[in-house]
Amino acid sequence: MSESKKILIVDDDPNLREDLKDVLEMCDYEVSSAENGEEGLKAIEINNPDLIISDIAMPVMDGYEFLSELQKNVQHASIPFLFVTAKGQYSELRKGMSLGADDYIFKPYDLNDLLRTIETRLGKVENNTKDLTMRFESVINNIRKSIPHEIRTPITGIMNQAERLLRKNPDNEFISDSVLEILSDAKRLNRLFENYIFLTNLELIKEEELNEIKSKKTYLPNSIINHICKYKFENKNRNFDIKLSEDLDELPIHETHFTKMIYELVDNSIKFSEEDSTITVNSMITPDNFKFSISNYGRTLTDEEIKQIGEYVQFNRDTHEQKGLGLGLSIVKKVLNLYDGDLTINNNNNRTTISFQIQSK
């Protein structure tokens, strides 16, 4: 086996425990033991075994009681459980199986038979795990492919029809106001959904996909920053000051990820700053790193709130209408985690500065 499986032996006979422990360790199993069911429950919490071998007749807590208690714990109920016992009556066997035992081995047992049974049970668990993993991945892949399309289509349809109504009824104030509200809500819903999908895709990146993603590059990053800032700030009639260092030819980060981080940070600064204030954007290049920062006056986060930045965390919603699930900073943080980057948030006299740093080579 590529990795040693853990087996717990529960039996009140110390000689049997030690003999069986020696045999299993010779077969490359990692073995722990307990003298009764009560001690077995404690050993499970410590060792988290892959399989349990238990006697039935034991003091303090017998095998049946032990198995019953084990079945009450969702985390441990699926561990393969083998009874090793001298009792061979059908009623005893049925009782154990009805409680959740996976198999019986009767004393005196043949070691080869016991080892085959152990291997069979562990093999079934491994196959079931692989099957569940494959099914899970299949469901996830279907969701990633079909759900975005199924939701984007009607949202896009609503926005297109709203814009069409506006063009056809430019002088109808009642229709224009109503349609503008519909269009605004549709755009808000669309942005929320796209951010949710973006974050979900980041969460679902597989290890084998990571190297390919990290091999992609962003070309002329300052040009991207400049374009996003001018588009967003001018569209919202906001005052801004951009100071960008000499542009790099490329950065070792996927352009989609870099662009998304800049967009979210710019949008965040507009959302939480005072309308008549100036938003400052800077970039800086060092021999090994690229640093981006954006500063604004207005709503600030406490140190505790900064620590709690998460996918669905919004702070003081009763006093600060935020419109959304608070995904923006979570997306930035998740992207930076992929590239071993750093996110920093500083507050000083009602001024918030958010910056990130990633390797430039």
Side-chain angles (χ1 to χ4, degrees), residues 295-309:
S295 302
N296 63 268
Y297 288 95
R299 166 81 170 101
T300 60
L301 296 176
T302 66
D303 291 342
E304 186 60 30
E305 288 172 341
I306 292 172
K307 292 178 183 178
Q308 294 177 9
I309 289 173

Side-chain angles (χ1 to χ4, degrees), residues 238-254:
R238 297 301 304 273
N239 299 321
F240 61 95
D241 181 26
I242 303 179
K243 296 178 182 179
L244 305 179
S245 62
E246 183 181 354
D247 206 355
L248 284 174
D249 290 335
E250 61 184 46
L251 276 177
I253 177 175
H254 199 297

Side-chain angles (χ1 to χ4, degrees), residues 283-349:
S283 73
M284 182 175 66
I285 302 170
T286 67
D288 298 314
N289 296 300
F290 175 89
K291 183 176 181 179
F292 171 88
S293 66
I294 185 165
S295 302
N296 63 268
Y297 288 95
R299 166 81 170 101
T300 60
L301 296 176
T302 66
D303 291 342
E304 186 60 30
E305 288 172 341
I306 292 172
K307 292 178 183 178
Q308 294 177 9
I309 289 173
E311 289 85 347
Y312 306 107
V313 175
Q314 290 190 322
F315 306 104
N316 298 330
R317 176 121 196 192
D318 53 341
T319 56
H320 300 278
E321 175 58 35
Q322 298 182 38
K323 294 185 179 181
L325 292 177
L327 300 178
L329 286 180
S330 295
I331 287 173
V332 174
K333 191 174 182 180
K334 178 62 70 174
V335 169
L336 289 171
N337 286 341
L338 289 179
Y339 299 93
D340 299 320
D342 296 317
L343 176 69
T344 304
I345 303 176
N346 292 317
N347 298 315
N348 185 18
N349 295 327

Side-chain angles (χ1 to χ4, degrees), residues 45-316:
E45 296 297 332
I46 297 172
N47 300 302
N48 192 27
D50 298 295
L51 182 140
I52 299 169
I53 301 173
S54 176
D55 191 14
I56 292 180
M58 298 181 291
V60 184
M61 180 184 288
D62 67 22
Y64 295 137
E65 294 172 315
F66 174 42
L67 179 55
S68 295
E69 289 299 316
L70 191 66
Q71 294 297 308
K72 295 177 183 178
N73 188 315
V74 177
Q75 288 183 313
H76 304 318
S78 60
I79 300 174
F81 193 101
L82 308 181
F83 270 133
V84 178
T85 178
K87 296 184 178 181
Q89 292 89 348
Y90 180 76
S91 60
E92 296 291 339
L93 187 149
R94 290 306 306 160
K95 180 177 180 180
M97 300 300 272
S98 66
L99 288 172
D102 293 280
D103 213 334
Y104 265 84
I105 299 293
F106 295 108
K107 299 176 183 177
Y109 53 79
D110 179 86
L111 282 176
N112 289 327
D113 186 26
L114 176 61
L115 292 173
R116 281 194 298 269
T117 302
I118 291 172
E119 290 175 2
T120 298
R121 290 300 168 184
L122 289 174
K124 285 186 176 180
V125 171
E126 190 169 336
N127 289 336
N128 288 339
T129 301
K130 288 180 180 178
D131 182 56
L132 286 173
T133 300
M134 290 176 63
R135 292 185 184 184
F136 176 76
E137 289 181 351
S138 176
V139 170
I140 291 299
N141 287 332
N142 287 334
I143 290 174
R144 292 173 73 175
K145 291 177 181 178
S146 62
I147 296 299
H149 173 74
E150 293 300 322
I151 295 180
R152 282 188 185 114
T153 299
I155 292 177
T156 301
I158 292 171
M159 291 191 294
N160 289 340
Q161 289 300 319
E163 290 172 348
R164 182 168 173 268
L165 282 171
L166 284 174
R167 289 194 300 271
K168 283 197 168 187
N169 301 275
D171 301 323
N172 189 316
E173 185 175 339
F174 174 75
I175 291 179
S176 294
D177 290 345
S178 298
V179 173
L180 280 173
E181 188 172 342
I182 292 172
L183 183 59
S184 175
D185 286 345
K187 287 182 176 179
R188 176 180 168 183
L189 179 60
N190 185 61
R191 173 164 164 72
L192 171 62
F193 174 71
E194 292 298 337
N195 273 359
Y196 175 77
I197 291 299
F198 195 94
L199 184 61
T200 300
N201 285 334
L202 289 175
E203 296 281 359
L204 295 176
I205 291 175
K206 300 176 184 177
E207 192 68 32
E208 57 268 25
E209 298 173 330
L210 192 55
N211 288 335
E212 181 180 355
I213 290 172
K214 293 175 74 171
S215 70
K216 305 297 183 181
K217 299 184 184 299
T218 293
Y219 296 97
L220 301 177
N222 278 341
S223 297
I224 293 174
I225 295 172
N226 193 59
H227 175 76
I228 292 174
C229 287
K230 287 187 175 181
Y231 168 76
K232 290 288 291 181
F233 293 140
E234 290 176 358
N235 190 48
K236 294 292 185 179
N237 295 318
R238 297 301 304 273
N239 299 321
F240 61 95
D241 181 26
I242 303 179
K243 296 178 182 179
L244 305 179
S245 62
E246 183 181 354
D247 206 355
L248 284 174
D249 290 335
E250 61 184 46
L251 276 177
I253 177 175
H254 199 297
E255 187 171 305
T256 299
H257 292 161
F258 181 82
T259 302
K260 186 64 173 175
M261 286 199 299
I262 301 301
Y263 188 94
E264 291 302 326
L265 290 176
V266 170
D267 186 75
N268 188 77
S269 70
I270 293 172
K271 189 183 298 183
F272 295 106
S273 63
E274 299 168 357
E275 290 190 5
D276 58 350
S277 65
T278 298
I279 298 172
T280 303
V281 177
N282 291 286
S283 73
M284 182 175 66
I285 302 170
T286 67
D288 298 314
N289 296 300
F290 175 89
K291 183 176 181 179
F292 171 88
S293 66
I294 185 165
S295 302
N296 63 268
Y297 288 95
R299 166 81 170 101
T300 60
L301 296 176
T302 66
D303 291 342
E304 186 60 30
E305 288 172 341
I306 292 172
K307 292 178 183 178
Q308 294 177 9
I309 289 173
E311 289 85 347
Y312 306 107
V313 175
Q314 290 190 322
F315 306 104
N316 298 330

